[in-house]
Each structure stands twice: as C-alpha cells, then as structure tokens.
Amino acid sequence: MIRVTVIENGDTYKSIESKGHADFSAFGKDIVCAAASVLIINTLNGIDQFSDTKMDVTSEESGYLKAVFPDGCDEKAQVLLDSMVLGLTQIEKQYGKRYLSIDIQEE
C-alpha cells in the first residue's frame, strides 16, 4: 500500500510524504502506483519550475519520498498541491485504501 501523509499548518502545506508501493498489479503494470507517482513527482517538478517555494526533497528507490516546505507555500505551489491532493483522494476512492491511503494532518 502507498501511504501518503500531508501536513498542513493553517492555510499552507508544510510537507508531503509517500511510502510504499500499491501492489495493485505486477511490477511495471501497477496503474495505481504509476498514477500516484506521476501526480506526486509532477507536482514537485511543477513547484520547482513555476513557483518560488523552497522545498527540501528526500527520495529513495524503495518507494519513499518526502518534500518539506520550510517556509510554507506560495500561491502557485498551494494550487499545485491542492490539485495533487485531489488526484490522490480520487485514486483512494476509486481503488480503495488497500492500495493507497492519504492522510491529511494539521500541524
């Protein structure tokens, strides 16, 4: 299962963390894992390219990724992250928490 944890503080995101693999299908054919990965990685790439938000990113081939926004997010990053959360929530609804679980926490 992919576990995504989103930490918010008031009206801004502080961090996102993703752990694990969906195990929906065989390696290379896992559409849940691929969809979640594309959403998360594209969001971080978009923040890097289109916003002034500072982020510290840690990733491992084991399926772990964490992005911390030490100064919060500017408006562009906020919209990109809102879109990512929407997409991940829809994947969770469609395929179930057995494959992807998103937890949004207030700091």
Side-chain angles (χ1 to χ4, degrees):
M1 171 198 325
I2 299 171
R3 294 180 192 271
V4 179
T5 303
V6 178
I7 307 294
E8 299 176 318
N9 186 335
D11 61 350
T12 191
Y13 290 97
K14 296 303 286 180
S15 68
I16 60 165
E17 182 178 46
S18 177
K19 299 178 187 178
H21 295 280
D23 295 324
F24 179 78
S25 187
F27 180 78
K29 297 181 181 189
D30 193 328
I31 61 173
V32 174
C33 199
S37 295
V38 166
L39 279 170
I40 295 167
I41 292 168
N42 190 62
T43 298
L44 297 180
N45 287 339
I47 291 169
D48 185 52
Q49 290 293 310
F50 302 120
S51 83
D52 294 320
T53 296
K54 181 180 184 250
M55 65 179 162
D56 301 316
V57 179
T58 304
S59 66
E60 300 172 4
E61 290 203 23
S62 64
Y64 177 82
L65 184 141
K66 184 170 186 176
V68 177
F69 312 103
D71 303 321
C73 297
D74 67 12
E75 187 176 337
K76 290 177 182 177
Q78 191 75 23
V79 169
L80 290 166
L81 287 161
D82 284 344
S83 180
M84 179 199 74
V85 168
L86 174 65
L88 292 171
T89 301
Q90 292 302 313
I91 292 170
E92 180 187 60
K93 285 180 184 175
Q94 183 169 353
Y95 292 96
K97 291 182 184 244
R98 176 178 174 194
Y99 302 108
L100 186 144
S101 174
I102 182 167
D103 181 29
I104 302 169
Q105 302 174 2
E106 183 69 26
E107 179 181 70

